Amino acid sequence: MIFLSLFLNFLKIGLFTFGGAYGAIPIIRETVLANAWLTEEQFSYFLAVSESTPGPIMVNMATYVGFTMGSADHGVLGGVLGSALCTLGTVLPAFVIMILITTVLRRFINNSHVRAVLAAIVPCVTGIIVATGLYMLAELIFPSLPASLGSFSLPALIVAAVLIVFMEVYRRLRKKPVSPILLIVVAAVLGMIFFR
Amino acid sequence: MQKLRELWKLFFTFFKIGAFTFGGGYAMISLIEDECVTKNQWMTHEEMADMLAIAESTPGPISINCATHIGYRRLGLFGAAMTTLGVVLPSFIIILLIANFFDYFLKIPLVAAAFRGIAVAVALLILRVGLKLLRKTDRRPLLVGILLASALLVLLNHILSLGVSTVYVILGAALFGLATSYLKKRETPPSEGEGREDGE
């Protein structure tokens, strides 16, 4: 049953996300790829849409995956149900845990063992995010990964190089990092030039 | 009546927050502070900082954590449900509208080319966040070890196509943290303070 599977998988995503949306991206990515719900391209493309539309990135991704899978066999209504279930799954752990902490578990968060667990999770999530970013970039430049280094995408390499220079120049000149939306717009223009 | 009005206000405030922040949770924080501390005085600056510390260390989207907390403090379970619904609803509606035609949109060659460029930006954005977190990482050897081990496991998992869920990597780190904390406590039972013998 696709709807149950959507709900349970996004419940897992909601439960194992620490430190905001970027901590969720590796888990959402592997979940949608493992279940063949989205292709690697669909995932990256919609992640860009999620960054450029308002609201929590995780909710945006959950809504999209739920709609895509729900509407595949059950039409638009199935799509709406799928997105509602995915969003509910993403939100529910945060909702329940936050209420528990606000009411009865106020001291739980200050317990030394709980703090030790959280302190260990922070560098773990950092490592996961760095590894995922590196791998996603490598996969764009060498599209036949992980099987081989055989094929090589020159346009992807050029776009990556130009974007890195742009990010660095922008940061030096404006004294702040370039916003995700602006970077995505610049990348779209570069894509239209180099991927045609 | 008074209660109903406040319920609506909570819902509408968080609906606004959900509708006008781009780029996820961290971008929302300043807007939440604006609405809940400055404008409506639902909480003090200290309470806000306290809430953020908790939101960052509990699972799930940060904005949902904040919405739930503030809603619950104002009007209990029903208040929490309203604020959470408010912050989620704009995303939900907008993405439903986009999802409906996104695949057709991608069939336009120029759009497809644009998105192949965008995919590179997405990878770079993830990498940028990762590197920023890396710079902020506590340099205690134990934590650096966890970081390297996690990154290596995830990379190996990709390269060898092992199909092991990242969730297990997180669980492993959590268990490891718990184990070291128990061992540490056993070594220094009488002292109450935090036993940070590793130092810088």
Side-chain angles (χ1 to χ4, degrees):
Chain A
M1 182 71 179
I2 181 71
F3 293 110
L4 186 65
S5 169
L6 284 171
F7 175 71
L8 291 178
N9 271 290
F10 274 87
L11 198 65
K12 181 188 77 184
I13 290 167
L15 195 58
F16 283 97
T17 298
F18 290 88
Y22 281 88
I25 288 169
I27 305 180
I28 297 179
R29 180 177 177 275
E30 75 179 19
T31 303
V32 299
L33 295 183
N35 289 294
W37 287 343
L38 300 181
T39 63
E40 182 83 50
E41 288 79 35
Q42 278 176 308
F43 172 77
S44 285
Y45 295 174
F46 211 82
L47 194 51
V49 175
S50 297
E51 301 233 26
S52 329
T53 48
I57 294 177
M58 286 174 72
V59 172
N60 294 345
M61 284 306 290
T63 306
Y64 175 64
V65 175
F67 183 85
T68 307
M69 290 318 296
S71 65
D73 290 332
H74 302 272
V76 175
L77 227 56
V80 175
L81 180 64
S83 3
L85 286 172
C86 287
T87 304
L88 187 68
T90 308
V91 165
L92 210 54
F95 186 80
V96 172
I97 291 171
M98 210 58 199
I99 285 179
L100 287 178
I101 288 179
T102 308
T103 52
V104 286
L105 292 178
R106 189 112 196 105
R107 281 164 55 214
F108 176 77
I109 207 97
N110 291 323
N111 175 287
S112 68
H113 295 313
V114 174
R115 297 240 310 243
V117 167
L118 293 173
I121 287 177
V122 172
C124 172
V125 170
T126 303
I128 292 170
I129 294 174
V130 173
T132 303
L134 277 176
Y135 187 78
M136 284 174 76
L137 191 63
E139 213 176 26
L140 289 165
I141 296 171
F142 300 100
S144 57
L145 280 176
S148 72
L149 279 172
S151 55
F152 168 72
S153 165
L154 187 62
L157 184 68
I158 295 173
V159 172
V162 175
L163 286 179
I164 290 170
V165 170
F166 173 71
M167 285 162 95
E168 198 50 34
V169 169
Y170 187 97
R171 197 176 58 82
R172 296 252 165 105
L173 290 180
R174 304 290 298 269
K175 307 274 182 249
K176 61 175 187 193
V178 55
S179 75
I181 296 183
L182 181 57
L183 194 72
I184 285 169
V185 170
V186 172
V189 174
L190 291 172
M192 289 186 214
I193 299 168
F194 292 106
F195 281 105
R196 288 252 281 172
Chain B
M1 202 58 206
Q2 184 76 38
K3 215 168 174 183
L4 211 63
R5 194 177 300 154
E6 174 150 20
L7 210 56
W8 166 250
K9 182 145 192 143
L10 280 170
F11 173 78
F12 187 67
T13 301
F14 276 88
F15 188 88
K16 243 185 350 193
I17 292 169
F20 290 108
T21 42
F22 291 83
Y26 288 97
M28 279 185 180
I29 290 171
S30 64
L31 198 59
I32 292 177
E33 180 143 31
D34 240 35
E35 289 286 341
C36 301
V37 179
T38 316
K39 255 170 84 181
N40 290 306
Q41 297 176 337
W42 285 330
M43 59 199 326
T44 63
H45 281 285
E46 291 75 47
E47 285 170 327
M48 171 93 191
D50 202 34
M51 175 185 77
L52 283 180
I54 295 173
E56 278 183 44
S57 47
T58 46
I62 301 215
S63 49
I64 305 293
N65 294 330
C66 294
T68 305
H69 179 79
I70 295 169
Y72 193 88
R73 282 186 24 154
R74 300 302 300 174
L75 286 175
L77 203 59
F78 208 50
M82 288 307 265
T83 47
T84 304
L85 188 68
V87 90
V88 163
L89 214 52
S91 287
F92 190 75
I93 295 168
I94 292 167
I95 298 296
L96 269 188
L97 294 176
I98 295 176
N100 224 336
F101 64 81
F102 190 60
D103 285 349
Y104 300 101
F105 187 58
L106 280 179
K107 294 207 175 90
I108 305 166
L110 197 62
V111 175
F115 269 96
R116 292 184 70 187
I118 288 173
V120 179
V122 166
L124 287 175
L125 283 171
I126 294 173
L127 206 52
R128 182 173 79 175
V129 170
L131 294 177
K132 190 175 145 210
L133 291 171
L134 204 61
R135 278 194 295 274
K136 287 200 307 193
T137 299
D138 196 321
R139 294 292 149 85
R140 273 180 281 168
L142 196 68
L143 301 183
V144 174
I146 293 175
L147 194 155
L148 291 176
S150 311
L152 208 65
L153 277 172
V154 171
L155 277 178
L156 278 179
N157 194 14
H158 280 313
I159 293 167
L160 304 176
S161 304
L162 297 178
V164 179
S165 173
T166 310
V167 165
Y168 293 115
V169 180
I170 298 175
L171 278 177
L175 281 177
F176 190 71
L178 192 62
T180 48
S181 138
Y182 267 109
L183 288 177
K184 210 176 265 181
K185 202 153 217 182
R186 194 172 289 174
E187 276 169 27
T188 53
S191 76
E192 271 288 311
E194 301 267 281
R196 281 210 186 132
E197 75 270 343
D198 282 330
E200 282 289 295

